[in-house]
Amino acid sequence: MTPFEVPLDDERTQLNAFIEDYRGAVERALDGLTEDQARRRLVPSATTLLGLLKHVTWMQRVWFEECVGGTSRRELGLVQGPDESFRLSDDDTVASVTAAHREACATARAIVADLPLDTVVTGHRMGPRTLRWVHLQVLRELAHHCGHADILREQLLAG
């Protein structure tokens, strides 16, 4: 379901449609690329297309599993900060990072499925917030990084 299919639906349906749309978009940025292309650095930072997908996987785990679910980053086996979350290991592949992203998305959906948007969640280190706020933050981050992915993919395909 795309955001354009739910303009008159309830707020939760609309938020989910936008989040799902961006989740798919960040994965599609890797479509048809080789492993080398997906790992290629085109900017001075460690940002790569594969690294972006790894980061948004980490980001969603932080917001849904840590903030909403209440499980610490250490317990989840997550790196502590966002800069580290872009770093690729030798074992990271398009298939493995995509699978991890899909698993994180499925876990996120399950964690929030029965919670109202007004639920106050307390698992984030910076304090309580509503589930609505978490959804908006995840949407903001996904949209932000999809823009990065679009530009990187365009650079890769032009080169």
Side-chain angles (χ1 to χ4, degrees):
M1 184 170 340
T2 72
F4 290 102
E5 295 174 295
V6 296
L8 301 176
D9 287 35
D10 62 279
E11 179 182 21
R12 181 67 167 262
T13 300
Q14 291 177 350
L15 284 171
N16 286 340
F18 274 94
I19 288 171
E20 293 300 333
D21 193 47
Y22 282 118
R23 283 173 170 161
V26 74
E27 283 188 19
R28 285 188 302 275
L30 293 166
D31 283 355
L33 298 181
T34 66
E35 295 292 333
D36 287 342
Q37 287 173 314
R39 290 173 158 275
R40 189 169 303 149
R41 287 180 60 178
L42 300 168
V43 293
S45 72
T47 305
T48 64
L49 276 172
L50 191 58
L52 276 172
L53 184 59
K54 189 170 182 177
H55 168 73
V56 300
T57 301
W58 173 88
M59 175 272 296
Q60 291 181 82
R61 293 194 68 199
V62 165
W63 287 115
F64 292 115
E65 295 176 49
E66 179 183 41
C67 182
V68 179
T71 306
S72 73
R73 292 177 197 191
R74 183 174 297 116
E75 291 173 280
L76 293 168
L78 297 176
V79 297
Q80 292 302 303
D83 289 346
E84 299 166 89
S85 71
F86 284 89
R87 294 192 188 116
L88 299 171
S89 72
D90 291 341
D91 295 333
D92 288 325
T93 64
V94 172
S96 70
V97 175
T98 300
H101 181 249
R102 290 179 182 169
E103 181 179 335
C105 292
T107 299
R109 285 184 208 102
I111 288 170
V112 303
D114 297 324
L115 298 175
L117 290 174
D118 291 331
T119 300
V120 175
V121 297
T122 59
H124 196 268
R125 58 179 80 173
M126 296 185 71
R129 58 216 56 234
T130 65
L131 182 59
R132 176 182 289 102
W133 188 96
V134 171
H135 275 77
L136 291 169
Q137 172 63 13
V138 168
L139 177 59
R140 183 190 72 79
E141 287 225 26
L142 285 168
H144 182 77
H145 293 306
C146 279
H148 294 146
D150 286 343
I151 291 167
L152 291 175
R153 182 175 174 87
E154 183 177 329
Q155 288 179 315
L156 281 168
L157 295 178

